[in-house]
Amino acid sequence: MIPLPRLGFGGGPIGNLFTEVSDAEAFGALEAAWDAGVRYFDTAPHYGLGLSERRIGEFLAGKPRSSFVVSTKVGRVLEPCTGGGDDTANGFAVPATHRRRWDFSADGVRRSLESSLDRLGLDRVDVVHVHDPDEHGDQAIAEAVPALAALRSEGVVRAVGVGMNQWELPARFVRETDVDVVLLAGRYTVLDQTGAGLLELCASRGVSVVAAGVFNSGLSARPEVGDTYDYRAAPVALVEKARRIAEVCSGHGVTLPQAAIAFPFRHPAVTSVLLGVRTADEMRANASAASEPVPDALWDDLAAAGLL
């Protein structure tokens, strides 16, 4: 398994995910992460049409290259467009200066990564994930992964991964290719363990797992329980489950966010947890939650209650 820092900064929110984040807020969040010891930064061209990559690159400029880890993604090539408008239909509050085009070809992978390196101001990245190849699995396996493997052999990429919010297709990548890392979003959390089989497969193949979306987009991000799950209104039954989990946590002096951050590390395949934040206060709160120990008895009680 590739060694990755335990805690990572998820760059989606500072790409203006759903709502605008000012430069001051974005750099404040990044500075708070650095101050908390975070040295792993994940981003993608998709996040704000390159805004997240540019902000992370600007923040890291001047810092020793050996002092941090960066991952980005391929699969969506950004092409300039002049139609005006904004990108809110794709979830990002940025001007629509570019359009995304799915491209998992070898040429598309190289062009995408070259543009990402330019936005990041780097000559190499540590991990490149094939991003959301849900409808393009065959091409991604046949073309994108071999192209990234070639870049790995050239030293431009340290590790090759696949990043998705489902577990079935990543399992195919693990079985059929030589990926080093799987970034699994929202499918191995204190609320949703449907990806457990994938983690077992990764452990057996020596593939590292980065757990993202551990708050399932908000439901377990606050001690009082949120109201969104996978970026939609949370089903009533799931809200009730989250409340029951929070009650058990409270009995052990643990908050729901603490449990959400700690839970993925219970599996030996998980090397890192990514936390997406948009402000310094959010980052400090999450870093504090991540630093607090969670007793093993909590997991036993959750399991006994049928909540895990």
Side-chain angles (χ1 to χ4, degrees), residues 137-162:
D138 290 341
Q139 184 185 34
I141 287 172
E143 299 183 44
V145 173
L148 290 174
L151 289 166
R152 182 177 57 195
S153 68
E154 295 169 15
V156 178
V157 171
R158 186 175 167 207
V160 177
V162 58

Side-chain angles (χ1 to χ4, degrees), residues 3-126:
L4 290 170
R6 183 176 174 86
L7 204 61
F9 182 98
I14 65 165
N16 287 11
L17 180 63
F18 301 131
T19 58
E20 185 176 352
V21 177
S22 70
D23 285 343
E25 287 175 318
F27 291 116
L30 287 162
E31 192 66 54
W34 190 269
D35 290 345
V38 173
R39 296 295 183 269
Y40 173 21
F41 300 87
D42 176 77
T43 185
H46 175 52
Y47 303 157
L49 295 172
L51 178 62
S52 174
E53 288 182 318
R54 289 192 295 272
R55 282 173 162 170
I56 286 175
E58 184 176 342
F59 174 75
L60 294 173
K63 292 180 169 58
R65 182 61 186 89
S66 60
S67 67
F68 58 82
V69 170
V70 172
S71 57
T72 191
K73 306 177 181 75
V74 296
R76 295 172 174 89
V77 175
L78 302 184
E79 299 177 333
C81 64
T82 56
D86 58 42
D87 194 49
T88 54
N90 295 300
F92 294 91
V94 296
T97 56
H98 292 72
R99 61 174 171 265
R100 300 168 182 82
R101 180 171 60 81
W102 292 108
D103 192 342
F104 293 91
S105 69
D107 181 62
V109 162
R110 285 184 175 270
R111 286 190 293 110
S112 178
L113 182 56
E114 182 178 349
S115 295
S116 289
L117 290 171
D118 184 60
R119 286 187 291 268
L120 287 162
L122 299 173
D123 61 359
R124 67 188 188 282
V125 288
D126 300 280

Side-chain angles (χ1 to χ4, degrees), residues 266-281:
R266 289 175 50 74
H267 198 287
V270 174
T271 60
S272 306
V273 163
L274 286 180
L275 300 175
V277 301
R278 61 181 65 233
T279 68
D281 285 347

Side-chain angles (χ1 to χ4, degrees), residues 195-206:
L198 170 62
L199 270 63
E200 291 299 312
L201 177 63
C202 289
S204 71
R205 301 291 183 95

